[in-house]
Amino acid sequence: MRLTDTQVRIIKARAAECFGSNAKIWLFGSRVDDKALGGDIDLYVELTEPLTDSAWRALRFNGALQQAFGAQHIDVITRGPSEPLKPIHETAKRSGVAL
Amino acid sequence: MNDLAARLTRVLDLVDREARHLAEVTQRFFGGAEAIDREWLERQLATPEGIDRLESFGAKFSRLQDTLSDKLLPLFLRAAGELPGTAVENLNRAERLGIIRDTQEWLGARGLRNRLVHEYIDDLDALAASLDVARRFTTVLIEAAHAFRGYAAQRLGTPFRQTP
């Protein structure tokens, strides 16, 4: 996985602010590959309780990370507790790394 | 009026037009819809007019976002006597000046346009959620257009005109 400990700490802290402390986060995509270079930070966030405005919260979470990391390209996918598990969610969990 | 002020006035006029066009297409596309969900989106995509409105909304949303962030904001900072920096620095300065409300919202909204193109998004739930967020951010963009105009007229000596 190509994230520093500081980046992981920031991601978890901002996720707790935006989605609550029980949200689970996975890093997936090219940043999981230690041999790759650069690339977007793709994050999958699973919410354990229903939240209003989850898409707006995801936007703020994304912006908070860009502010911390310097306009890095970040993609955030969220799934609420009542949403069905879609292929993209399964892929993110299967191929990703839980943070 | 010096060259910088003249350029700022031209870009402010462009922002006024783009904000008006975005406000108009937002009204045409969303109307008074309360819930922007899959069912609502399926109804829009069932007609050529609905598809055209979706495309027009996405294009005008992106255009105003680009003009405000990439054209107006650096020029505005220069006119205010500051050196423009990175996108994050510029937005932070605009927030400190009270022009925008929240840098994080603006940064987070930068990737939104890629999620508004229905040819590429086969997940209609996700597209509807992105459209709902974009509708909300449209208000933020138009408020910022007003704020830029007001600040520039009061402190930078550009002509005051009423934005939509």
Side-chain angles (χ1 to χ4, degrees):
Chain A
M1 163 174 95
R2 289 179 298 114
L3 285 181
T4 65
D5 290 347
T6 304
Q7 285 177 316
V8 172
R9 208 163 46 242
I10 290 170
I11 289 169
K12 289 165 102 167
R14 297 294 174 273
E17 287 166 11
C18 295
F19 304 112
S21 53
N22 292 327
K24 296 175 182 166
I25 311 149
W26 282 260
L27 173 76
F28 68 103
S30 63
R31 288 274 172 162
V32 173
D33 182 354
D34 289 329
K35 296 190 186 99
L37 293 170
D40 301 350
I41 297 178
D42 296 310
L43 297 169
Y44 168 58
V45 181
E46 222 168 58
L47 311 176
T48 51
E49 51 206 278
L51 288 174
T52 55
D53 268 357
S54 62
W56 188 260
R57 288 167 189 264
L59 177 141
R60 290 191 51 91
F61 175 57
N62 191 323
L65 295 181
Q66 289 187 57
Q67 200 168 30
F69 299 160
Q72 168 78 44
H73 194 98
I74 295 161
D75 212 3
V76 178
I77 295 172
T78 58
R79 177 176 161 251
S82 60
E83 284 181 57
L85 193 69
K86 293 177 180 166
I88 181 76
H89 304 146
E90 276 184 286
T91 303
K93 287 178 83 167
R94 194 182 58 247
S95 66
V97 176
L99 302 183
Chain B
M1 190 184 290
N2 65 27
D3 182 49
L4 188 58
R7 280 166 57 207
L8 181 61
T9 301
R10 279 199 300 275
V11 177
L12 283 167
D13 289 346
L14 173 66
V15 162
D16 285 352
R17 285 195 297 276
E18 291 184 355
R20 192 170 60 248
H21 294 159
L22 178 59
E24 287 167 358
V25 75
T26 300
Q27 180 56 36
R28 282 198 303 275
F29 183 43
F30 294 103
E34 284 187 14
I36 306 303
D37 53 19
R38 184 190 187 94
E39 287 72 31
W40 176 87
L41 181 56
E42 281 174 344
R43 287 198 298 278
Q44 310 313 308
L45 296 178
T47 66
E49 293 80 9
I51 293 170
D52 286 348
R53 285 178 190 144
L54 166 58
E55 288 178 358
S56 181
F57 172 74
K60 289 179 169 63
F61 177 90
S62 304
R63 203 169 297 149
L64 180 59
Q65 197 177 22
D66 284 348
T67 305
L68 285 171
S69 302
D70 301 340
K71 284 194 184 135
L72 179 57
L73 181 51
L75 201 56
F76 177 87
L77 290 172
R78 242 181 245 121
E82 297 199 35
L83 275 181
T86 64
V88 177
E89 288 165 350
N90 291 346
L91 288 168
N92 279 331
R93 286 177 198 168
E95 186 182 321
R96 278 201 301 276
L97 292 172
I99 303 291
I100 69 165
R101 192 176 51 192
D102 186 336
T103 295
Q104 290 181 5
E105 287 176 359
W106 283 70
L107 290 171
R110 295 198 314 171
L112 205 46
R113 72 187 54 197
N114 298 328
R115 297 177 175 226
L116 301 179
V117 185
H118 84 281
E119 285 92 340
Y120 304 142
I121 311 286
D122 47 14
D123 182 344
L124 290 187
D125 292 311
L127 179 54
S130 297
L131 284 167
D132 197 24
V133 168
R135 177 170 72 158
R136 188 164 162 182
F137 197 70
T138 291
T139 305
V140 176
L141 289 173
I142 293 173
E143 279 175 4
H146 282 271
F148 273 114
R149 172 64 83 182
Y151 190 102
Q154 283 173 7
R155 312 211 188 171
L156 305 177
T158 62
F160 182 80
R161 292 188 186 90
Q162 185 63 51
T163 48

